[in-house]
Amino acid sequence: MLPAANRLTRSQDFGLVVRRGRRAGRPRLVVHVLSPAQVPAGTSTSAQPTLEPSKVGFVVSKAVGNSVVRHRVSRRLRHVVRDRLNLLPPGTSLVVRALAPSADANSAELGRDLDAALRKVLR
């Protein structure tokens, strides 16, 4: 389970990360990362520059599959991201958007795609 302090929950925060953050795509997922330095001044969100823990949110649409498949993909992504939280700088917001091929992927494949996308976006 992903700790509550590391969950991105507000719709405004998801929108800010997707609109303003850096993006990297892989065959099974797309990663959006917003570092504290990229947040516009005067924006009151949890992504503001602080020493807060990194926050992560997931988007798994109906394009991935039915409810059972979407929840399975969400659980796998949560598990994969939880092991990599320490790689993110403090205060970073991350949105992981699952694509349709993620329905047939195992945790190792999702982990490889996530690692490659994070390497690209965190350069």
Side-chain angles (χ1 to χ4, degrees):
M1 184 58 79
L2 196 61
N6 295 108
R7 294 182 197 152
L8 198 60
T9 56
R10 294 179 7 163
S11 176
Q12 297 90 348
D13 294 342
F14 273 85
L16 182 68
V17 174
V18 170
R19 277 192 322 274
R20 303 269 179 158
R22 296 188 64 195
R23 180 181 64 208
R26 303 299 305 158
R28 295 174 192 92
L29 51 88
V30 177
V31 171
H32 301 268
V33 175
L34 184 67
S35 66
Q38 295 171 303
V39 177
T43 305
S44 60
T45 67
S46 60
Q48 281 188 326
T50 63
L51 292 178
E52 289 183 6
S54 299
K55 296 192 181 284
V56 182
F58 301 95
V59 178
V60 184
S61 73
K62 287 185 179 182
V64 173
N66 65 21
S67 177
V68 173
V69 173
R70 290 193 312 268
H71 283 92
R72 183 182 314 128
V73 169
S74 295
R75 284 192 305 271
R76 286 180 180 161
L77 285 173
R78 270 197 311 268
H79 177 76
V80 167
V81 169
R82 184 188 65 202
D83 295 338
R84 291 158 176 82
L85 275 176
N86 59 350
L87 301 176
L88 299 174
T92 301
S93 296
L94 168 70
V95 172
V96 179
R97 185 166 42 102
L99 301 176
S102 65
D104 300 323
N106 60 32
S107 294
E109 293 168 333
L110 291 173
R112 283 193 298 273
D113 277 357
L114 181 66
D115 288 338
L118 285 176
R119 269 194 308 272
K120 182 177 180 181
V121 81
L122 291 175
R123 289 188 223 169

